[in-house]
Amino acid sequence: MWSTMKAGIELGTNTAGQPALLDLEELLSTRLLVQGNSGSGKSHLLRRLLEQSAGMVQQAIIDPEGDFVSFSERFGHTVVDAERSPSELQRIALRIRQHRASVVLNLEGLDAEEQMRCAAAFLNGLFDADRSVWYPMLITVDEAQIFAPAVAGEVSDEARRLSLGAMTNLMCRGRKRGLAGIVATQRLAKLAKNVAAEASNFLMGRTFLDIDMARAADLLGMDRRQAEGFRDLDPGQFIALGPALSRKPIPLRIGAVDTAGRSGRPVLMPLPDMPQAEMQDLIFVGGEADLLPMPAPSQSRARGTAELLREIEISGPLDTTPEAELDTRTEAEKQELLDSVYAEIMSDPDTAFRPAPSIYQDFLFHCRIKKLGTYGQDMPSFRKRLALARAGVSSDKGDDAWEQVLAVAESLPEEMQGVFLLLARAAREEAPCPTDEALANAYGSRSPSRGRWLLTYMSEHGHIRSEADFRGSRIVTIAGVNWRTLPGAPKAGPIKKVDPLRRAPMLPLPAARPAE
C-alpha cells in the first residue's frame, strides 16, 4: 500500500494500525493540499507534519492567526513579525533563503488586506532569490483561502491580484526553485482553482457542504456516493492520496504533537456560583474599579505598524490649540519631504526590478511616517513620477522643450516612459548614450537584450533616431527637440581603440548592419 520511502515521516496510523508515512522527498516535488472544516484537525495535521520534518528540511510557515509561533521555542524557528514595509519583507525573505533559516511569518493583528500584501511580498522574496540559493524548502500556508480567494471579496483588487499571483507562483513554478507548497483551507470552494489544482497530494478531512464534498471527491477520483463519507470522518481523520502518500485513497488518523497553538477545541467550564443580586450589582453598579489603568505595552494587543499609522492619519486633533489643528508646514517643505521619500525609495537597488504597485505600497508607507498622506500622489501620478525618478529626471524642469519631451513620454506605454526619459536626459546633457544594461534596468529588466528591443521599438514608432558611428558606438537623437547623445558603447565597459593604420573598427558592427 505504501511505497518505499527515501525520507519518510510518520503522520499517524492507517486503519490497520500501521504507520502512515509521507515521502518527504516526493512531497518537495509534488506539493500538498489539506482541506477540512473548522474542528476537523487541519491545524493539528499541519503541526504534526511540520514537527516531524523540522530537522530534515528548511521551513517557512505563513501564519495568519499566530498559532505556530510556539515553533520558535521548540524547534528554533525565527518569528518574523509582519509590521514591516513590503520591500523590507522581501529583503528578509532573500536572507532567509541565503542562510537556510526556518521561520514563522506572524500575520496576527493585521486585517485581511494587509495580510495578503505582506504574504505576497514575503513569498515573492523567496521566489525571486538567486539560483545559487535554491535549497529545498517547505512553504506552509494556513487558511490559504485568505491569500488565494476564488472570488473577489471586500479587499481591493490590487491586494487580491498581488496575493493570488504570489500563491500561484508558489504552487505552479515553485518546484524548480526548491519551494514546495503546502496549502490548507477550510473550504475548497473558497480557494482559487489554479492554486488547488497544482497539488498532487491530498489530505481531505471532515466536510459537510455539498459543493466542498464534490470538489474533494473530484480531486481524489471518487464518485458521488463515496463523497458522502466525508461527513462521517472524525476529527483528526483524513483521506490521503498522492505520490507522496498512497496510490489510492485511504483513511488515516493523525498522530500526537509536541507543541500546541494558542487556539484549541473549546471545553465547557462551570458558570460562577453567585446570587442573582450580586451579579446584578457587578453588572449595573459602577465604581472606582471601572477606571482601569492603561495596560503596559507588553500586556496590550500588539498592533501592526500599518494599523497604527492609519489611526494616526485619520485621528482628529488632540486639543484645540492651533498647533494641533493646522499643519504649519509650507508647500515647499511638503514637496521637499515628498522628494526625500522618492529618493529613499530609489536608493534601494532592487527598486528598478519591482512592479510599480509593489513600490507604491512602500511609497504610501513612507508618506504616512512623514504625515504626508498621499499628498496628491494617486497611482497614476505616482507612476509618472516614478518614471521620472527611474530616469534620474527632476519633475520641475519647467522649460518648453522638457514639457514637449514629457508629453511624448506619456504617449508611450507606461513601462517604457522611464527608458525614453533616460535617453532624453542623456541627450539634453550631451552625455554618452546609455548602455543596453542601463536601458533594461530603467525598464525593470536585467536582460540587456531587452534594452536593444526598446530602442528598436521607439525608433520604429518615431520617438527617437538611433544610429551607430564607425566605431560601433551608438548615438540617439530625440525627435522633436533634436537633442543628441554623445557616442556610447552598447555594452558596459570601455570602448576599444581603433587601429590607426587600418582605420577599421576593432569592435563588431551593430546588429542593424550585416555582420562582417
Side-chain angles (χ1 to χ4, degrees), residues 274-285:
M274 182 179 297
Q276 182 181 11
E278 293 184 18
M279 181 65 74
Q280 290 176 344
D281 288 341
L282 290 175
I283 296 173
F284 298 113
V285 178

Side-chain angles (χ1 to χ4, degrees), residues 61 63 69 72 77-84 88-89 92-93 96 101-108 122:
I61 306 168
D63 185 10
V69 174
S72 61
H77 287 49
T78 299
V79 177
V80 179
D81 291 319
E83 296 94 351
R84 308 172 189 273
E88 186 179 2
L89 278 176
I92 289 174
I96 286 170
S102 291
V103 299
V104 178
L105 179 64
N106 183 17
L107 301 176
E108 183 185 19
F122 183 77

Side-chain angles (χ1 to χ4, degrees), residues 423-437:
L423 290 167
R425 175 193 172 194
R428 171 68 181 269
E429 298 174 357
E430 296 184 349
C433 182
T435 63
D436 292 339
E437 184 178 3

Side-chain angles (χ1 to χ4, degrees), residues 353 436-437 439-441 443-452 454:
F353 310 107
D436 292 339
E437 184 178 3
L439 296 175
N441 289 351
Y443 184 75
S445 171
R446 301 180 190 270
S447 172
S449 62
R450 178 63 63 178
R452 294 191 294 273
L454 291 166

Side-chain angles (χ1 to χ4, degrees), residues 35-281:
Q35 190 269 345
N37 289 161
S38 179
S40 65
K42 171 173 52 66
S43 296
H44 181 91
L45 184 156
L46 292 179
R47 192 173 291 274
R48 172 75 180 191
L49 191 159
L50 292 167
E51 287 182 359
Q52 295 294 308
S53 62
M56 301 180 184
V57 66
Q58 183 185 3
Q59 298 175 345
I61 306 168
I62 310 297
D63 185 10
E65 299 295 337
D67 284 340
F68 290 90
V69 174
S70 56
F71 264 68
S72 61
E73 303 172 1
R74 177 67 174 81
F75 295 98
H77 287 49
T78 299
V79 177
V80 179
D81 291 319
E83 296 94 351
R84 308 172 189 273
S85 68
S87 60
E88 186 179 2
L89 278 176
Q90 287 183 314
R91 288 193 291 269
I92 289 174
L94 289 172
R95 292 194 287 269
I96 286 170
R97 295 219 70 180
Q98 289 173 347
H99 302 292
R100 303 188 68 185
S102 291
V103 299
V104 178
L105 179 64
N106 183 17
L107 301 176
E108 183 185 19
L110 303 180
D111 62 30
E113 182 165 333
E114 290 169 340
Q115 287 186 343
M116 295 173 78
R117 294 183 186 277
C118 288
F122 183 77
L123 290 174
N124 286 334
L126 297 177
F127 188 84
D128 293 337
D130 187 76
R131 182 184 293 271
S132 62
V133 295
W134 286 0
Y135 303 112
M137 189 176 187
L138 285 182
I139 312 294
T140 302
V141 184
D142 197 13
E143 305 298 346
Q145 73 278 357
I146 296 176
F147 309 104
V151 296
E154 296 181 357
V155 300
S156 68
D157 291 339
E158 180 188 349
R160 178 176 179 269
R161 181 180 57 80
L162 288 172
S163 182
L164 183 57
M167 289 288 290
T168 302
N169 278 339
L170 170 65
M171 297 300 287
C172 297
R173 302 167 57 199
R175 183 183 65 83
K176 293 183 179 180
R177 290 164 171 77
L179 304 177
I182 300 175
V183 295
T185 181
Q186 292 185 10
R187 292 201 53 203
L188 280 173
K190 289 187 175 182
L191 184 66
K193 290 185 179 180
N194 59 337
V195 171
E198 293 300 324
S200 301
N201 301 285
F202 306 97
L203 285 164
M204 300 297 182
R206 185 172 61 184
T207 304
F208 292 100
L209 295 180
D210 290 343
I211 186 173
D212 293 323
M213 289 192 299
R215 283 195 63 181
D218 182 60
L219 289 172
L220 297 181
M222 302 167 62
D223 59 31
R224 178 72 179 182
R225 181 181 57 82
Q226 293 173 309
E228 297 290 337
F230 288 116
R231 289 197 178 105
D232 300 327
L233 294 176
D234 296 326
Q237 191 176 14
F238 289 79
I239 305 297
L241 176 68
L245 293 164
S246 173
R247 294 190 182 122
K248 62 180 181 179
I250 63 166
L252 58 87
R253 184 172 295 278
I254 305 303
V257 296
D258 296 331
T259 61
R262 299 177 183 176
S263 60
R265 294 181 63 84
V267 295
L268 294 175
M269 299 178 61
L271 296 173
D273 185 11
M274 182 179 297
Q276 182 181 11
E278 293 184 18
M279 181 65 74
Q280 290 176 344
D281 288 341

Side-chain angles (χ1 to χ4, degrees), residues 345-363:
I345 291 175
M346 296 308 299
S347 66
D348 185 351
D350 291 332
T351 297
F353 310 107
R354 293 171 52 205
S358 175
I359 304 173
Y360 187 56
Q361 298 309 310
D362 280 0
F363 168 76

